[in-house]
Amino acid sequence: MHRGLDKTQAIVQHILRHIPLPRRCTPDSKYSLTKPLVVGLSGPQGIGKTTITNKLVSTLTGAPHNLRVFTFSMDDLYLSFKEQEMLREAHPNNKLIEFRGLPGTHDLKLGSNTFRALCDANLSWYESDSGHHTEGDKPRPVVLQPSYDKAAFSGCGDQVPKEQWKQEQGPFDIVLFEGWSLGFRSIRDRVRMKKIYEEADAKGLFLAQHSLESLEWIDNTLREYERDLYEFMDIFVHLSAPNLSTIFKWRAEQEKDLWAKKGTGMGDEQVREFVKRFMPAYELYLERLKSENVFSSSRSECLGSEEIDEAQGGGDGGSKRESSLLSTLPFRGRHLRVDLDQDRDMISTTLVE
């Protein structure tokens, strides 16, 4: 698949193929005909998500596509400094959420509200009375782009005041939303989680350095991400690293570039300690993201009760209809995995089903 293309071209093809198709599922039926195509982009630290996002924007907004694109990141949604301090104080024994980064340290309401603002912007534009305006003088809806300052409070970070957020004019054809843990899904099985934890030490996993309770807190929190953020996504792109050790290598390379450009950054040991905080999440959720469609668990939410009964064999000719219905479920063909080598060059692409 996608032979002869680079990773940016492969992702652009995946996006363009879905623009004319119905949206996977909408948070509100009123958005069904006007919702922008929401693209989730996931990949570990250092893989180049920001660089690829910039290239995607340049390609999609330029000729011959000339599409209107809105971008934001999970990094834009971190809790305020005060809220992060309150979270840390409420869970003093959970080192996974002592600082920003892992699931549980984001302002999910801000994320959900931003997605709804984007949907509302399109709705107001396409459903307004165009008879009173020409295309040129019709007022365009505005959506604020959330922003987070990682340097605030001596590197602890804080949300940028809302009045300083960038204003983007709609309507929007595409929304690019990226994050290192985007697509991670809750295990939802305490027995399985306990088994993973009990085997972790023998396997030399980083998650063994934390309590089971701390890991279960992260796992339970992921359910809120699935409910508040994932349901807005229409298609998904996963930039996949060759192995977890590559993440340390890539992050160290980024810091060396930072030293060369600004004369500041982390040393190798600091990089290792920084990346170690994220490893338990990678160990728990990354393999599933590689092999299982991120939308598969929510596919029934886009079907009516009669259709679900039919898919399960409740109607006449159940088994035949099940095969037919499941082949057209709204998650098929929407999750693209892009496998990269250690130099971040594309090896292959796979539609994850």
Side-chain angles (χ1 to χ4, degrees), residues 110 144-145 159-166:
L110 173 58
L144 296 177
Q145 185 182 55
Q159 293 179 357
V160 172
K162 193 171 183 178
E163 57 270 19
Q164 297 179 26
W165 293 0
K166 187 177 179 181

PDB file of all heavy atoms in Angstrom, residues 110 144-145 159-166:
ATOM      1  N   LEU A 110     -11.906  21.320  27.950  1.00  0.00           N
ATOM      2  CA  LEU A 110     -11.381  22.264  26.970  1.00  0.00           C
ATOM      3  C   LEU A 110     -11.293  21.601  25.599  1.00  0.00           C
ATOM      4  O   LEU A 110     -11.652  22.209  24.583  1.00  0.00           O
ATOM      5  CB  LEU A 110     -10.005  22.771  27.402  1.00  0.00           C
ATOM      6  CG  LEU A 110      -9.241  23.647  26.403  1.00  0.00           C
ATOM      7  CD1 LEU A 110     -10.052  24.878  26.034  1.00  0.00           C
ATOM      8  CD2 LEU A 110      -7.885  24.044  26.984  1.00  0.00           C
ATOM      9  N   LEU A 144     -11.359  29.756  18.632  1.00  0.00           N
ATOM     10  CA  LEU A 144     -10.102  29.994  19.343  1.00  0.00           C
ATOM     11  C   LEU A 144      -9.274  28.721  19.404  1.00  0.00           C
ATOM     12  O   LEU A 144      -9.796  27.635  19.673  1.00  0.00           O
ATOM     13  CB  LEU A 144     -10.387  30.497  20.758  1.00  0.00           C
ATOM     14  CG  LEU A 144     -11.097  31.846  20.889  1.00  0.00           C
ATOM     15  CD1 LEU A 144     -11.359  32.151  22.362  1.00  0.00           C
ATOM     16  CD2 LEU A 144     -10.267  32.954  20.259  1.00  0.00           C
ATOM     17  N   GLN A 145      -7.980  28.866  19.173  1.00  0.00           N
ATOM     18  CA  GLN A 145      -7.059  27.738  19.216  1.00  0.00           C
ATOM     19  C   GLN A 145      -6.381  27.700  20.588  1.00  0.00           C
ATOM     20  O   GLN A 145      -5.618  28.599  20.940  1.00  0.00           O
ATOM     21  CB  GLN A 145      -6.002  27.893  18.120  1.00  0.00           C
ATOM     22  CG  GLN A 145      -5.059  26.715  17.978  1.00  0.00           C
ATOM     23  CD  GLN A 145      -4.015  26.976  16.902  1.00  0.00           C
ATOM     24  OE1 GLN A 145      -3.305  27.978  16.951  1.00  0.00           O
ATOM     25  NE2 GLN A 145      -3.928  26.089  15.927  1.00  0.00           N
ATOM     26  N   GLN A 159      -1.525  27.039  31.209  1.00  0.00           N
ATOM     27  CA  GLN A 159      -2.331  27.421  30.066  1.00  0.00           C
ATOM     28  C   GLN A 159      -2.126  28.909  29.763  1.00  0.00           C
ATOM     29  O   GLN A 159      -2.073  29.733  30.680  1.00  0.00           O
ATOM     30  CB  GLN A 159      -3.810  27.141  30.333  1.00  0.00           C
ATOM     31  CG  GLN A 159      -4.150  25.661  30.442  1.00  0.00           C
ATOM     32  CD  GLN A 159      -5.628  25.415  30.723  1.00  0.00           C
ATOM     33  OE1 GLN A 159      -6.409  26.355  30.894  1.00  0.00           O
ATOM     34  NE2 GLN A 159      -6.026  24.146  30.775  1.00  0.00           N
ATOM     35  N   VAL A 160      -2.004  29.223  28.483  1.00  0.00           N
ATOM     36  CA  VAL A 160      -1.907  30.616  28.061  1.00  0.00           C
ATOM     37  C   VAL A 160      -3.273  31.268  28.284  1.00  0.00           C
ATOM     38  O   VAL A 160      -4.307  30.649  28.037  1.00  0.00           O
ATOM     39  CB  VAL A 160      -1.512  30.695  26.571  1.00  0.00           C
ATOM     40  CG1 VAL A 160      -1.589  32.123  26.051  1.00  0.00           C
ATOM     41  CG2 VAL A 160      -0.120  30.114  26.366  1.00  0.00           C
ATOM     42  N   PRO A 161      -3.319  32.518  28.785  1.00  0.00           N
ATOM     43  CA  PRO A 161      -4.609  33.199  28.971  1.00  0.00           C
ATOM     44  C   PRO A 161      -5.434  33.180  27.683  1.00  0.00           C
ATOM     45  O   PRO A 161      -4.903  33.362  26.589  1.00  0.00           O
ATOM     46  CB  PRO A 161      -4.197  34.625  29.352  1.00  0.00           C
ATOM     47  CG  PRO A 161      -2.851  34.464  29.993  1.00  0.00           C
ATOM     48  CD  PRO A 161      -2.188  33.349  29.239  1.00  0.00           C
ATOM     49  N   LYS A 162      -6.725  32.958  27.832  1.00  0.00           N
ATOM     50  CA  LYS A 162      -7.602  32.775  26.687  1.00  0.00           C
ATOM     51  C   LYS A 162      -7.575  33.950  25.726  1.00  0.00           C
ATOM     52  O   LYS A 162      -7.671  33.772  24.496  1.00  0.00           O
ATOM     53  CB  LYS A 162      -9.036  32.530  27.175  1.00  0.00           C
ATOM     54  CG  LYS A 162      -9.980  32.018  26.108  1.00  0.00           C
ATOM     55  CD  LYS A 162     -11.309  31.597  26.725  1.00  0.00           C
ATOM     56  CE  LYS A 162     -12.222  31.006  25.672  1.00  0.00           C
ATOM     57  NZ  LYS A 162     -13.520  30.544  26.265  1.00  0.00           N
ATOM     58  N   GLU A 163      -7.424  35.158  26.254  1.00  0.00           N
ATOM     59  CA  GLU A 163      -7.424  36.332  25.391  1.00  0.00           C
ATOM     60  C   GLU A 163      -6.201  36.366  24.469  1.00  0.00           C
ATOM     61  O   GLU A 163      -6.162  37.151  23.505  1.00  0.00           O
ATOM     62  CB  GLU A 163      -7.477  37.618  26.218  1.00  0.00           C
ATOM     63  CG  GLU A 163      -6.364  37.779  27.230  1.00  0.00           C
ATOM     64  CD  GLU A 163      -6.710  37.201  28.595  1.00  0.00           C
ATOM     65  OE1 GLU A 163      -7.639  36.365  28.663  1.00  0.00           O
ATOM     66  OE2 GLU A 163      -6.064  37.604  29.577  1.00  0.00           O
ATOM     67  N   GLN A 164      -5.211  35.508  24.731  1.00  0.00           N
ATOM     68  CA  GLN A 164      -4.020  35.449  23.885  1.00  0.00           C
ATOM     69  C   GLN A 164      -4.067  34.312  22.868  1.00  0.00           C
ATOM     70  O   GLN A 164      -3.142  34.147  22.068  1.00  0.00           O
ATOM     71  CB  GLN A 164      -2.768  35.312  24.759  1.00  0.00           C
ATOM     72  CG  GLN A 164      -2.513  36.490  25.687  1.00  0.00           C
ATOM     73  CD  GLN A 164      -1.280  36.289  26.556  1.00  0.00           C
ATOM     74  OE1 GLN A 164      -0.355  35.559  26.199  1.00  0.00           O
ATOM     75  NE2 GLN A 164      -1.257  36.934  27.715  1.00  0.00           N
ATOM     76  N   TRP A 165      -5.120  33.520  22.893  1.00  0.00           N
ATOM     77  CA  TRP A 165      -5.227  32.411  21.954  1.00  0.00           C
ATOM     78  C   TRP A 165      -5.420  32.930  20.540  1.00  0.00           C
ATOM     79  O   TRP A 165      -6.058  33.961  20.310  1.00  0.00           O
ATOM     80  CB  TRP A 165      -6.399  31.508  22.315  1.00  0.00           C
ATOM     81  CG  TRP A 165      -6.231  30.768  23.607  1.00  0.00           C
ATOM     82  CD1 TRP A 165      -5.170  30.820  24.459  1.00  0.00           C
ATOM     83  CD2 TRP A 165      -7.173  29.879  24.199  1.00  0.00           C
ATOM     84  NE1 TRP A 165      -5.388  30.010  25.538  1.00  0.00           N
ATOM     85  CE2 TRP A 165      -6.617  29.417  25.414  1.00  0.00           C
ATOM     86  CE3 TRP A 165      -8.430  29.422  23.820  1.00  0.00           C
ATOM     87  CZ2 TRP A 165      -7.281  28.527  26.240  1.00  0.00           C
ATOM     88  CZ3 TRP A 165      -9.095  28.528  24.649  1.00  0.00           C
ATOM     89  CH2 TRP A 165      -8.530  28.079  25.845  1.00  0.00           C
ATOM     90  N   LYS A 166      -4.890  32.200  19.585  1.00  0.00           N
ATOM     91  CA  LYS A 166      -5.019  32.564  18.181  1.00  0.00           C
ATOM     92  C   LYS A 166      -6.456  32.337  17.707  1.00  0.00           C
ATOM     93  O   LYS A 166      -7.090  31.344  18.064  1.00  0.00           O
ATOM     94  CB  LYS A 166      -4.054  31.726  17.342  1.00  0.00           C
ATOM     95  CG  LYS A 166      -3.983  32.121  15.877  1.00  0.00           C
ATOM     96  CD  LYS A 166      -2.946  31.282  15.146  1.00  0.00           C
ATOM     97  CE  LYS A 166      -2.869  31.647  13.674  1.00  0.00           C
ATOM     98  NZ  LYS A 166      -1.876  30.809  12.946  1.00  0.00           N
TER      99      LYS A 166
END
